[in-house]
Amino acid sequence: KCFCRESKMNKRTQKLNLGVTKLVGLIFGVALVASCGGSGSSSTASGPGLTVVPALGGVGPGLTVTAYDASTGRSIATATTVVDTTVGSESFGLGKATLSVPSSFSGTAVINVTGCATCTYFDERTLSTASFGASDAITTVVPSVSASTTSSVGVSTLTTLVAANLGVTPTTISSLGTSVVVTTAKLEAAVTNVLDVFGLSSSSSSSNLALINAVPKVFGVSYKAGDKLEATGNALTMGTVLTALAK
């Protein structure tokens, strides 16, 4: 049974090779870019929280995760990644951050993840930890965030490509709402453009958004060889793509 699942995963990975070849240049250009924040902040009462899982492989503690209002570039929430070391936890070895979204905000948000001098991630190519420095960043654009949001989103090289397709990078966050305008139609088109490269887009915009924003199944620092085979659906699909990109 395990052999069959592993075989299916290998076939899916091979199918992605063409997409990997097309995107590899772009990834090195925009996946890890100089970080720069937006302006302003919010201090109103906040909701239960949006869980953000940066996925390169899994990241360690200490990365800064900041959410910005996509219509203004205003900072609305920030937190740092922590690692759940509970034995048996699905997130064992994977860093994540929980953002408390203020009650005054509801709409599209840009989430930017930046590193630090001691920050690391698990490199799925070398199967060892690698540095994720203060000048490194990955980004995503989430279509709907509010104080009542309790879902989880992944931030990866693929979401960074979608953001860049929209003109959203860490250095342009301060221009959101002026020279950089994010609309639902533009976001849906950018997501489709990226997923099309891998043959993963569908005719449903909501399905495409759900796929790109899914938390991928990636290896953490305490990974086991069969970890990815435990995933299903969007988590497995996105995890497989990221593994292919890492190679």
Side-chain angles (χ1 to χ4, degrees):
K1 182 178 181 181
C2 291
F3 174 79
C4 291
R5 295 183 70 187
E6 204 162 332
S7 176
K8 289 180 181 177
M9 181 177 171
N10 289 337
K11 288 179 180 178
R12 183 176 296 183
T13 302
Q14 291 169 6
K15 185 177 180 181
L16 295 173
N17 284 343
L18 177 60
V20 172
T21 301
K22 290 180 179 179
L23 278 180
V24 69
L26 286 174
I27 288 168
F28 282 105
V30 303
L32 301 178
V33 292
S35 58
C36 178
S39 60
S41 62
S42 176
S43 58
T44 57
S46 57
L50 172 68
T51 300
V52 178
V53 184
L56 288 165
V59 303
L63 280 71
T64 300
V65 179
T66 306
Y68 301 90
D69 183 340
S71 66
T72 65
R74 177 177 59 93
S75 172
I76 57 175
T78 189
T80 57
T81 57
V82 295
V83 177
D84 184 354
T85 58
T86 305
V87 176
S89 168
E90 287 186 8
S91 60
F92 184 64
L94 302 179
K96 60 182 179 179
T98 300
L99 297 176
S100 295
V101 180
S103 58
S104 60
F105 178 79
S106 179
T108 302
V110 171
I111 297 175
N112 194 54
V113 180
T114 58
C116 65
T118 58
C119 291
T120 60
Y121 71 96
F122 188 77
D123 188 334
E124 293 192 326
R125 180 178 64 83
T126 63
L127 297 182
S128 61
T129 55
S131 174
F132 193 76
S135 62
D136 296 328
I138 50 177
T139 311
T140 191
V141 180
V142 183
S144 180
V145 172
S146 70
S148 61
T149 300
T150 56
S151 60
S152 299
V153 297
V155 187
S156 67
T157 49
L158 292 183
T159 65
T160 302
L161 288 172
V162 170
N165 199 288
L166 290 165
V168 178
T169 69
T171 56
T172 65
I173 287 175
S174 59
S175 299
L176 286 167
T178 54
S179 59
V180 179
V181 178
V182 176
T183 66
T184 299
K186 287 181 178 180
L187 176 56
E188 291 174 350
V191 170
T192 299
N193 287 342
V194 171
L195 293 181
D196 267 348
V197 175
F198 298 98
L200 294 175
S201 66
S202 72
S203 58
S204 168
S205 296
S206 60
S207 295
N208 290 338
L209 288 169
L211 176 58
I212 202 74
N213 287 317
V215 176
K217 185 67 174 181
V218 294
F219 288 133
V221 293
S222 303
Y223 82 99
K224 302 184 300 297
D227 277 354
K228 291 211 177 188
L229 298 180
E230 297 173 0
T232 59
N234 288 342
L236 176 59
T237 299
M238 296 306 289
T240 302
V241 173
L242 293 175
T243 296
L245 291 176
K247 302 300 183 182

Short mmCIF file of all heavy atoms in Angstrom, two decimals, residues 168-230:
data_model
loop_
_atom_site.label_atom_id
_atom_site.label_comp_id
_atom_site.label_asym_id
_atom_site.label_seq_id
_atom_site.Cartn_x
_atom_site.Cartn_y
_atom_site.Cartn_z
N VAL A 168 3.21 42.76 -6.27
CA VAL A 168 3.35 42.85 -4.82
C VAL A 168 4.63 42.14 -4.39
O VAL A 168 4.77 40.92 -4.51
CB VAL A 168 2.15 42.21 -4.09
CG1 VAL A 168 2.35 42.26 -2.58
CG2 VAL A 168 0.86 42.90 -4.48
N THR A 169 5.58 42.90 -3.90
CA THR A 169 6.82 42.38 -3.34
C THR A 169 7.05 43.12 -2.02
O THR A 169 6.38 44.14 -1.76
CB THR A 169 8.02 42.63 -4.28
OG1 THR A 169 8.29 44.05 -4.33
CG2 THR A 169 7.76 42.10 -5.69
N PRO A 170 7.98 42.66 -1.19
CA PRO A 170 8.22 43.38 0.06
C PRO A 170 8.53 44.86 -0.14
O PRO A 170 8.17 45.69 0.70
CB PRO A 170 9.41 42.63 0.66
CG PRO A 170 9.25 41.24 0.15
CD PRO A 170 8.75 41.40 -1.25
N THR A 171 9.19 45.20 -1.24
CA THR A 171 9.56 46.59 -1.47
C THR A 171 8.42 47.44 -2.03
O THR A 171 8.53 48.66 -2.09
CB THR A 171 10.77 46.68 -2.41
OG1 THR A 171 10.46 46.00 -3.64
CG2 THR A 171 11.99 46.05 -1.77
N THR A 172 7.33 46.81 -2.46
CA THR A 172 6.20 47.59 -3.00
C THR A 172 4.99 47.59 -2.08
O THR A 172 3.95 48.16 -2.43
CB THR A 172 5.76 47.05 -4.39
OG1 THR A 172 5.24 45.72 -4.25
CG2 THR A 172 6.91 47.07 -5.37
N ILE A 173 5.11 46.97 -0.91
CA ILE A 173 3.97 46.92 0.02
C ILE A 173 3.51 48.33 0.39
O ILE A 173 2.31 48.60 0.50
CB ILE A 173 4.34 46.11 1.28
CG1 ILE A 173 4.38 44.61 0.94
CG2 ILE A 173 3.33 46.35 2.41
CD1 ILE A 173 4.85 43.72 2.07
N SER A 174 4.46 49.24 0.56
CA SER A 174 4.10 50.62 0.92
C SER A 174 3.35 51.34 -0.19
O SER A 174 2.76 52.40 0.04
CB SER A 174 5.35 51.41 1.29
OG SER A 174 6.26 51.44 0.20
N SER A 175 3.36 50.75 -1.40
CA SER A 175 2.66 51.36 -2.54
C SER A 175 1.29 50.74 -2.79
O SER A 175 0.62 51.10 -3.77
CB SER A 175 3.52 51.23 -3.80
OG SER A 175 4.75 51.91 -3.67
N LEU A 176 0.88 49.81 -1.93
CA LEU A 176 -0.42 49.19 -2.09
C LEU A 176 -1.53 50.24 -2.01
O LEU A 176 -1.52 51.10 -1.13
CB LEU A 176 -0.64 48.13 -1.01
CG LEU A 176 0.13 46.82 -1.17
CD1 LEU A 176 0.08 45.99 0.12
CD2 LEU A 176 -0.43 46.01 -2.33
N GLY A 177 -2.46 50.13 -2.95
CA GLY A 177 -3.57 51.08 -2.97
C GLY A 177 -3.30 52.30 -3.81
O GLY A 177 -4.22 53.07 -4.12
N THR A 178 -2.02 52.51 -4.20
CA THR A 178 -1.67 53.65 -5.05
C THR A 178 -1.15 53.13 -6.38
O THR A 178 -1.90 52.92 -7.32
CB THR A 178 -0.64 54.56 -4.36
OG1 THR A 178 0.49 53.78 -3.94
CG2 THR A 178 -1.26 55.24 -3.14
N SER A 179 0.18 52.91 -6.47
CA SER A 179 0.73 52.40 -7.72
C SER A 179 0.56 50.89 -7.86
O SER A 179 0.69 50.33 -8.95
CB SER A 179 2.22 52.75 -7.83
OG SER A 179 2.95 52.22 -6.74
N VAL A 180 0.28 50.20 -6.76
CA VAL A 180 0.03 48.76 -6.79
C VAL A 180 -1.40 48.51 -6.29
O VAL A 180 -1.69 48.69 -5.10
CB VAL A 180 1.03 47.97 -5.91
CG1 VAL A 180 0.71 46.48 -5.95
CG2 VAL A 180 2.46 48.23 -6.36
N VAL A 181 -2.27 48.12 -7.19
CA VAL A 181 -3.68 47.91 -6.85
C VAL A 181 -4.04 46.44 -7.02
O VAL A 181 -3.84 45.86 -8.10
CB VAL A 181 -4.60 48.77 -7.74
CG1 VAL A 181 -6.06 48.49 -7.41
CG2 VAL A 181 -4.28 50.25 -7.57
N VAL A 182 -4.51 45.83 -5.96
CA VAL A 182 -4.89 44.42 -5.98
C VAL A 182 -6.41 44.31 -6.02
O VAL A 182 -7.10 44.87 -5.17
CB VAL A 182 -4.36 43.68 -4.73
CG1 VAL A 182 -4.84 42.23 -4.72
CG2 VAL A 182 -2.83 43.74 -4.68
N THR A 183 -6.91 43.61 -7.02
CA THR A 183 -8.35 43.35 -7.11
C THR A 183 -8.57 41.85 -7.13
O THR A 183 -7.64 41.07 -7.38
CB THR A 183 -8.95 43.95 -8.39
OG1 THR A 183 -8.40 43.28 -9.54
CG2 THR A 183 -8.64 45.45 -8.48
N THR A 184 -9.80 41.44 -6.87
CA THR A 184 -10.12 40.01 -6.89
C THR A 184 -9.84 39.42 -8.26
O THR A 184 -9.27 38.33 -8.37
CB THR A 184 -11.60 39.79 -6.52
OG1 THR A 184 -11.83 40.28 -5.19
CG2 THR A 184 -11.95 38.31 -6.57
N ALA A 185 -10.21 40.15 -9.31
CA ALA A 185 -10.01 39.65 -10.67
C ALA A 185 -8.53 39.48 -10.98
O ALA A 185 -8.11 38.48 -11.59
CB ALA A 185 -10.65 40.60 -11.67
N LYS A 186 -7.72 40.44 -10.56
CA LYS A 186 -6.27 40.36 -10.80
C LYS A 186 -5.66 39.18 -10.03
O LYS A 186 -4.80 38.48 -10.53
CB LYS A 186 -5.59 41.66 -10.40
CG LYS A 186 -5.84 42.82 -11.34
CD LYS A 186 -5.09 44.06 -10.86
CE LYS A 186 -5.29 45.24 -11.80
NZ LYS A 186 -4.56 46.45 -11.32
N LEU A 187 -6.11 39.01 -8.78
CA LEU A 187 -5.59 37.92 -7.96
C LEU A 187 -5.95 36.57 -8.57
O LEU A 187 -5.10 35.67 -8.67
CB LEU A 187 -6.15 38.02 -6.54
CG LEU A 187 -5.78 36.88 -5.57
CD1 LEU A 187 -4.27 36.72 -5.46
CD2 LEU A 187 -6.41 37.13 -4.20
N GLU A 188 -7.19 36.40 -8.98
CA GLU A 188 -7.61 35.14 -9.59
C GLU A 188 -6.81 34.85 -10.86
O GLU A 188 -6.41 33.70 -11.10
CB GLU A 188 -9.10 35.19 -9.90
CG GLU A 188 -9.98 35.18 -8.65
CD GLU A 188 -11.45 35.37 -8.95
OE1 GLU A 188 -11.78 35.71 -10.13
OE2 GLU A 188 -12.29 35.19 -8.05
N ALA A 189 -6.55 35.88 -11.67
CA ALA A 189 -5.78 35.70 -12.90
C ALA A 189 -4.34 35.32 -12.59
O ALA A 189 -3.76 34.45 -13.26
CB ALA A 189 -5.83 36.98 -13.73
N ALA A 190 -3.75 35.95 -11.58
CA ALA A 190 -2.36 35.65 -11.21
C ALA A 190 -2.22 34.21 -10.70
O ALA A 190 -1.26 33.52 -11.03
CB ALA A 190 -1.88 36.64 -10.14
N VAL A 191 -3.19 33.78 -9.89
CA VAL A 191 -3.17 32.41 -9.39
C VAL A 191 -3.27 31.41 -10.55
O VAL A 191 -2.53 30.43 -10.62
CB VAL A 191 -4.32 32.18 -8.39
CG1 VAL A 191 -4.47 30.69 -8.05
CG2 VAL A 191 -4.08 32.97 -7.11
N THR A 192 -4.18 31.68 -11.47
CA THR A 192 -4.34 30.80 -12.62
C THR A 192 -3.07 30.74 -13.45
O THR A 192 -2.67 29.67 -13.92
CB THR A 192 -5.52 31.29 -13.51
OG1 THR A 192 -6.72 31.25 -12.74
CG2 THR A 192 -5.69 30.40 -14.73
N ASN A 193 -2.41 31.88 -13.64
CA ASN A 193 -1.17 31.92 -14.42
C ASN A 193 -0.11 30.99 -13.85
O ASN A 193 0.58 30.27 -14.58
CB ASN A 193 -0.62 33.35 -14.48
CG ASN A 193 -1.42 34.25 -15.39
OD1 ASN A 193 -2.18 33.77 -16.24
ND2 ASN A 193 -1.27 35.55 -15.21
N VAL A 194 0.04 31.03 -12.52
CA VAL A 194 1.06 30.20 -11.87
C VAL A 194 0.68 28.73 -11.90
O VAL A 194 1.47 27.86 -12.24
CB VAL A 194 1.31 30.67 -10.42
CG1 VAL A 194 2.21 29.69 -9.68
CG2 VAL A 194 1.94 32.06 -10.41
N LEU A 195 -0.58 28.43 -11.57
CA LEU A 195 -1.02 27.03 -11.55
C LEU A 195 -1.03 26.42 -12.95
O LEU A 195 -0.79 25.22 -13.10
CB LEU A 195 -2.41 26.92 -10.91
CG LEU A 195 -2.51 27.26 -9.42
CD1 LEU A 195 -3.94 27.08 -8.94
CD2 LEU A 195 -1.56 26.39 -8.60
N ASP A 196 -1.28 27.25 -13.96
CA ASP A 196 -1.29 26.75 -15.35
C ASP A 196 0.05 26.14 -15.74
O ASP A 196 0.10 25.17 -16.51
CB ASP A 196 -1.61 27.90 -16.32
CG ASP A 196 -3.11 27.99 -16.62
OD1 ASP A 196 -3.84 27.03 -16.26
OD2 ASP A 196 -3.54 29.00 -17.20
N VAL A 197 1.13 26.70 -15.24
CA VAL A 197 2.46 26.20 -15.58
C VAL A 197 2.62 24.73 -15.19
O VAL A 197 3.29 23.96 -15.87
CB VAL A 197 3.55 27.05 -14.90
CG1 VAL A 197 4.94 26.48 -15.15
CG2 VAL A 197 3.49 28.50 -15.40
N PHE A 198 1.95 24.36 -14.10
CA PHE A 198 2.04 23.00 -13.60
C PHE A 198 0.86 22.13 -14.03
O PHE A 198 0.76 20.97 -13.63
CB PHE A 198 2.12 23.00 -12.07
CG PHE A 198 3.33 23.70 -11.54
CD1 PHE A 198 3.26 25.01 -11.11
CD2 PHE A 198 4.55 23.05 -11.48
CE1 PHE A 198 4.37 25.66 -10.64
CE2 PHE A 198 5.67 23.69 -11.00
CZ PHE A 198 5.59 25.00 -10.57
N GLY A 199 -0.04 22.70 -14.81
CA GLY A 199 -1.22 21.95 -15.22
C GLY A 199 -2.17 21.70 -14.07
O GLY A 199 -2.92 20.71 -14.07
N LEU A 200 -2.17 22.59 -13.08
CA LEU A 200 -2.96 22.38 -11.87
C LEU A 200 -4.17 23.30 -11.77
O LEU A 200 -4.97 23.17 -10.83
CB LEU A 200 -2.08 22.58 -10.63
CG LEU A 200 -0.95 21.57 -10.43
CD1 LEU A 200 -0.10 21.98 -9.23
CD2 LEU A 200 -1.51 20.17 -10.24
N SER A 201 -4.33 24.25 -12.67
CA SER A 201 -5.46 25.17 -12.56
C SER A 201 -6.74 24.49 -13.02
O SER A 201 -6.73 23.57 -13.83
CB SER A 201 -5.21 26.43 -13.40
OG SER A 201 -5.18 26.11 -14.77
N SER A 202 -7.85 24.97 -12.47
CA SER A 202 -9.16 24.45 -12.86
C SER A 202 -10.01 25.61 -13.36
O SER A 202 -9.58 26.77 -13.35
CB SER A 202 -9.85 23.77 -11.67
OG SER A 202 -10.28 24.75 -10.73
N SER A 203 -11.22 25.33 -13.78
CA SER A 203 -12.12 26.39 -14.25
C SER A 203 -12.76 27.13 -13.10
O SER A 203 -13.43 28.15 -13.29
CB SER A 203 -13.22 25.78 -15.14
OG SER A 203 -13.96 24.80 -14.42
N SER A 204 -12.53 26.65 -11.88
CA SER A 204 -13.11 27.26 -10.69
C SER A 204 -12.10 28.17 -10.00
O SER A 204 -11.07 27.70 -9.51
CB SER A 204 -13.59 26.19 -9.71
OG SER A 204 -13.91 26.75 -8.45
N SER A 205 -12.36 29.47 -9.97
CA SER A 205 -11.46 30.41 -9.32
C SER A 205 -11.33 30.12 -7.82
O SER A 205 -10.24 30.22 -7.24
CB SER A 205 -11.95 31.85 -9.52
OG SER A 205 -11.93 32.20 -10.88
N SER A 206 -12.44 29.74 -7.19
CA SER A 206 -12.41 29.45 -5.75
C SER A 206 -11.54 28.22 -5.46
O SER A 206 -10.82 28.19 -4.46
CB SER A 206 -13.82 29.24 -5.21
OG SER A 206 -14.46 28.16 -5.86
N SER A 207 -11.60 27.22 -6.34
CA SER A 207 -10.76 26.02 -6.17
C SER A 207 -9.29 26.37 -6.34
O SER A 207 -8.43 25.87 -5.60
CB SER A 207 -11.16 24.94 -7.17
OG SER A 207 -12.48 24.48 -6.92
N ASN A 208 -8.98 27.23 -7.31
CA ASN A 208 -7.60 27.64 -7.53
C ASN A 208 -7.05 28.41 -6.33
O ASN A 208 -5.91 28.19 -5.90
CB ASN A 208 -7.50 28.50 -8.79
CG ASN A 208 -7.71 27.71 -10.06
OD1 ASN A 208 -7.55 26.50 -10.09
ND2 ASN A 208 -8.08 28.40 -11.14
N LEU A 209 -7.87 29.30 -5.78
CA LEU A 209 -7.45 30.07 -4.61
C LEU A 209 -7.25 29.16 -3.41
O LEU A 209 -6.30 29.33 -2.63
CB LEU A 209 -8.48 31.15 -4.29
CG LEU A 209 -8.53 32.34 -5.24
CD1 LEU A 209 -9.78 33.19 -4.96
CD2 LEU A 209 -7.27 33.19 -5.11
N ALA A 210 -8.13 28.19 -3.24
CA ALA A 210 -8.01 27.24 -2.12
C ALA A 210 -6.73 26.43 -2.25
O ALA A 210 -6.06 26.15 -1.25
CB ALA A 210 -9.22 26.32 -2.08
N LEU A 211 -6.37 26.06 -3.48
CA LEU A 211 -5.16 25.27 -3.70
C LEU A 211 -3.91 26.08 -3.40
O LEU A 211 -3.03 25.61 -2.66
CB LEU A 211 -5.13 24.77 -5.15
CG LEU A 211 -3.87 23.98 -5.57
CD1 LEU A 211 -3.68 22.76 -4.69
CD2 LEU A 211 -3.97 23.58 -7.04
N ILE A 212 -3.81 27.28 -3.94
CA ILE A 212 -2.60 28.07 -3.77
C ILE A 212 -2.40 28.49 -2.32
O ILE A 212 -1.28 28.65 -1.83
CB ILE A 212 -2.60 29.30 -4.70
CG1 ILE A 212 -1.16 29.80 -4.95
CG2 ILE A 212 -3.46 30.42 -4.15
CD1 ILE A 212 -0.34 28.95 -5.86
N ASN A 213 -3.52 28.67 -1.58
CA ASN A 213 -3.43 29.12 -0.18
C ASN A 213 -3.37 27.97 0.82
O ASN A 213 -3.25 28.19 2.03
CB ASN A 213 -4.62 30.01 0.17
CG ASN A 213 -4.53 31.39 -0.45
OD1 ASN A 213 -3.46 32.00 -0.44
ND2 ASN A 213 -5.62 31.89 -0.99
N ALA A 214 -3.44 26.73 0.32
CA ALA A 214 -3.39 25.57 1.22
C ALA A 214 -2.04 25.49 1.93
O ALA A 214 -1.02 25.93 1.40
CB ALA A 214 -3.64 24.29 0.43
N VAL A 215 -2.06 24.94 3.13
CA VAL A 215 -0.80 24.70 3.86
C VAL A 215 -0.17 23.44 3.28
O VAL A 215 -0.71 22.35 3.43
CB VAL A 215 -1.05 24.53 5.36
CG1 VAL A 215 0.25 24.18 6.08
CG2 VAL A 215 -1.68 25.80 5.95
N PRO A 216 0.96 23.57 2.59
CA PRO A 216 1.56 22.38 1.95
C PRO A 216 2.13 21.42 2.98
O PRO A 216 2.53 21.82 4.08
CB PRO A 216 2.70 22.97 1.09
CG PRO A 216 2.45 24.45 1.06
CD PRO A 216 1.73 24.78 2.33
N LYS A 217 2.17 20.15 2.61
CA LYS A 217 2.83 19.17 3.47
C LYS A 217 4.31 19.18 3.11
O LYS A 217 4.71 18.69 2.06
CB LYS A 217 2.23 17.78 3.22
CG LYS A 217 2.78 16.71 4.17
CD LYS A 217 2.36 16.95 5.62
CE LYS A 217 2.77 15.81 6.52
NZ LYS A 217 2.35 16.00 7.92
N VAL A 218 5.10 19.80 3.96
CA VAL A 218 6.54 19.88 3.73
C VAL A 218 7.28 19.21 4.88
O VAL A 218 6.72 18.95 5.94
CB VAL A 218 7.01 21.34 3.58
CG1 VAL A 218 6.41 21.97 2.33
CG2 VAL A 218 6.65 22.16 4.82
N PHE A 219 8.55 18.95 4.66
CA PHE A 219 9.37 18.34 5.69
C PHE A 219 9.81 19.38 6.70
O PHE A 219 10.28 20.46 6.34
CB PHE A 219 10.61 17.68 5.08
CG PHE A 219 10.32 16.42 4.32
CD1 PHE A 219 10.87 16.20 3.06
CD2 PHE A 219 9.51 15.43 4.85
CE1 PHE A 219 10.61 15.04 2.36
CE2 PHE A 219 9.24 14.27 4.15
CZ PHE A 219 9.80 14.07 2.90
N GLY A 220 9.68 19.04 7.98
CA GLY A 220 10.22 19.88 9.04
C GLY A 220 11.57 19.34 9.47
O GLY A 220 12.05 18.34 8.94
N VAL A 221 12.19 19.99 10.44
CA VAL A 221 13.52 19.58 10.87
C VAL A 221 13.52 18.18 11.48
O VAL A 221 14.55 17.52 11.52
CB VAL A 221 14.11 20.59 11.87
CG1 VAL A 221 14.38 21.91 11.19
CG2 VAL A 221 13.17 20.80 13.06
N SER A 222 12.37 17.73 11.94
CA SER A 222 12.29 16.40 12.54
C SER A 222 11.50 15.46 11.63
O SER A 222 10.73 14.62 12.10
CB SER A 222 11.62 16.49 13.91
OG SER A 222 12.31 17.37 14.76
N TYR A 223 11.72 15.59 10.31
CA TYR A 223 10.92 14.85 9.34
C TYR A 223 11.19 13.35 9.39
O TYR A 223 12.25 12.89 9.81
CB TYR A 223 11.20 15.37 7.93
CG TYR A 223 12.44 14.81 7.28
CD1 TYR A 223 12.34 13.75 6.38
CD2 TYR A 223 13.69 15.32 7.58
CE1 TYR A 223 13.48 13.22 5.79
CE2 TYR A 223 14.82 14.80 6.99
CZ TYR A 223 14.71 13.75 6.09
OH TYR A 223 15.84 13.22 5.52
N LYS A 224 10.19 12.61 8.93
CA LYS A 224 10.32 11.18 8.69
C LYS A 224 10.10 10.96 7.20
O LYS A 224 9.37 11.72 6.54
CB LYS A 224 9.29 10.39 9.50
CG LYS A 224 9.34 10.61 10.99
CD LYS A 224 8.34 9.71 11.71
CE LYS A 224 6.91 9.94 11.28
NZ LYS A 224 6.41 11.29 11.61
N ALA A 225 10.70 9.94 6.64
CA ALA A 225 10.66 9.72 5.19
C ALA A 225 9.24 9.66 4.65
O ALA A 225 8.97 10.08 3.54
CB ALA A 225 11.42 8.44 4.84
N GLY A 226 8.30 9.13 5.42
CA GLY A 226 6.95 8.95 4.93
C GLY A 226 6.00 10.10 5.25
O GLY A 226 4.81 9.99 5.00
N ASP A 227 6.53 11.21 5.77
CA ASP A 227 5.67 12.31 6.21
C ASP A 227 4.72 12.79 5.12
O ASP A 227 3.54 13.02 5.38
CB ASP A 227 6.52 13.49 6.69
CG ASP A 227 6.98 13.31 8.13
OD1 ASP A 227 6.53 12.34 8.77
OD2 ASP A 227 7.78 14.13 8.61
N LYS A 228 5.23 12.97 3.91
CA LYS A 228 4.39 13.54 2.86
C LYS A 228 3.29 12.59 2.43
O LYS A 228 2.24 13.02 1.96
CB LYS A 228 5.24 13.94 1.66
CG LYS A 228 6.15 15.12 1.95
CD LYS A 228 6.39 15.97 0.74
CE LYS A 228 7.24 17.15 1.12
NZ LYS A 228 7.38 18.13 0.03
N LEU A 229 3.52 11.31 2.59
CA LEU A 229 2.51 10.33 2.18
C LEU A 229 1.31 10.34 3.10
O LEU A 229 0.28 9.75 2.80
CB LEU A 229 3.14 8.94 2.12
CG LEU A 229 4.28 8.77 1.11
CD1 LEU A 229 4.81 7.34 1.16
CD2 LEU A 229 3.82 9.12 -0.29
N GLU A 230 1.44 11.00 4.26
CA GLU A 230 0.32 11.11 5.19
C GLU A 230 -0.65 12.20 4.75
O GLU A 230 -1.77 12.28 5.25
CB GLU A 230 0.84 11.42 6.60
CG GLU A 230 1.73 10.32 7.18
CD GLU A 230 2.35 10.74 8.50
OE1 GLU A 230 2.08 11.88 8.94
OE2 GLU A 230 3.11 9.95 9.09
#
